[in-house]
Amino acid sequence: MKIAASGGRRRRAGFYSAIRREVPIRTFNDWNSPVPGFCEVDMVAHGGTSVAGSFIQTLTMVDVATGWTECLPLLTREGSLVVEAISRAQSLFPWLLRGVDFDNDSAFMNDVVVPWCREQKLEVTRSRAYKKNDQAFVEQKNGAVVRRRMGYGRFDGVETARMMGRLYAAARLYVNFFQPSFKLKEKRREGAKVIKRYHLPSTPYERALAHPKVTAAVKKRLRDQYRSLDPVALLAEIRATQEELGNRVDRRAGKARGLQPAHTSALSATAATFAKTLGKTVTVGEPRATHRRTRRPYKTRVRMPSKLDPHLAAIEAWLAEQPQLTALAIVGRLSENHPEEFGTRQHSIVRRLLRALRRKTAEQLLAEEPLAGATTAAPLPGVVDGSGYVGPDPPTAPLVEQAGKAIWRGRSIDIGSSSAMATSG
């Protein structure tokens, strides 16, 4: 029987379903251009290839009106940590939160998160079950922001969570102030065809400045913050933290990988030197530090001795005399000469050896040069245009001489005799 983490109290069946039923549903088409402050909230699991045990989760909050994105790491999926993360995100957003839209996860739909949001005067809604498009804004950022920088590896531990918080602190400024994105303007259907129109790509910062509901004080604070930021320095910080997290990633659940020294020497202290290295890692195919896989030390395969090795010369001599010998015939000869070693069980290894020997012989024949004394065949008497040919006519000659009709491009046309076409030409 499962016991709830809070207080060890038993939860009757359908407890969380009752809370879920109290929260109204909001689909993608129900937003209708809201004011800044309404966010879609979702979690990204960093469990690698297994969801067993405890691992870090990323809480992603996306403002629907502007696309402003905030990401916060959580050590576990717990309602109290979700409340604390939303409180932290409230201080990071340039404006006050007005509403939150969750999915049907039990980490959101519980008696801790929903009542707290209502106490904070936040409008609480949820998406439909198994309908990812209801949360299209946050689902897009889960891939473009979280997965693009964190990958799909397994992360756990307090120190790793602190490093992820450092990465998200730099990524939030880079994404919200310097990374433009498209935003859907309209969508209509014409029969089976769906036509979509998009606004010009812009950053969440630019959308906030252009929105009429954002106050002048907030816009001034955003402009001042924008002037103090350096995108190259932010990107260098992101790469450095990714290098540290790359040493902690564990792609095999339950098998921790030892920490390796971070290759941060490639990142220069100056932004100008770092900017010269941008774009070169993509051309050489170098993956991100958080996406790299551990190189497994493969052992060099050593060929084991075969029981056919002492009889290899004899088999080659047999093939030289009779190239059409089959593997079954060779096994029969070997079993007659050495009945204690060979039998019908060795048919497969003899067949592989026979295939290898014939391939080797074919390669040698292709590699050989033509003989020096070889001469080409003497040309036949007569001219080269074929006028000296005295044999029978080809079988198609009578058909060509016949007059008739043919179908060409759907039309019936007359075809005269060969003599008539010759005179007309």
Side-chain angles (χ1 to χ4, degrees), residues 8 25 52 121 169 189 225 229 278 282 403 425:
I25 293 177
K121 307 300 181 182
R189 178 183 294 272
Q225 187 177 9
L229 297 177
L278 295 178
V282 179

Side-chain angles (χ1 to χ4, degrees), residues 405-420:
K405 292 186 178 182
I407 304 298
W408 182 73
R409 293 187 179 181
R411 294 180 298 175
S412 177
I413 58 175
D414 294 332
I415 301 178
S417 62
S418 58
S419 59

Side-chain angles (χ1 to χ4, degrees), residues 310-320 333-334 337:
H311 312 281
L312 185 58
I315 295 175
E316 291 179 349
W318 294 341
L319 290 175
R333 293 187 180 185
L334 291 174
N337 299 333

Side-chain angles (χ1 to χ4, degrees), residues 352-371:
R352 288 195 295 267
L353 175 63
L354 185 60
R355 187 185 302 115
L357 291 177
R358 286 174 174 170
R359 184 186 303 111
K360 180 181 178 181
T361 305
E363 292 176 355
Q364 291 177 353
L365 290 176
L366 292 176
E368 289 180 357
E369 296 181 357
L371 297 178

Side-chain angles (χ1 to χ4, degrees), residues 43 59 61 72-76 78-92 97 107-108 112-113 116-117 120:
M43 274 193 187
L59 183 74
M61 299 183 64
L72 298 167
L74 304 180
L75 284 175
T76 56
E78 189 178 346
S80 59
L81 294 180
V82 173
V83 169
E84 184 178 351
I86 296 177
S87 301
R88 170 62 179 164
Q90 174 64 87
S91 62
L92 297 177
L97 295 180
F108 301 131
V112 177
V113 178
W116 179 86
C117 292
Q120 301 297 320

Side-chain angles (χ1 to χ4, degrees), residues 4 6 9-22 109-112:
S6 57
R9 297 175 298 172
R10 293 182 180 179
R11 298 296 188 187
R12 63 183 182 273
F15 177 80
Y16 293 109
S17 299
I19 296 179
R20 188 181 296 113
R21 285 193 296 267
E22 295 177 358
M109 298 291 105
N110 53 59
D111 57 348
V112 177

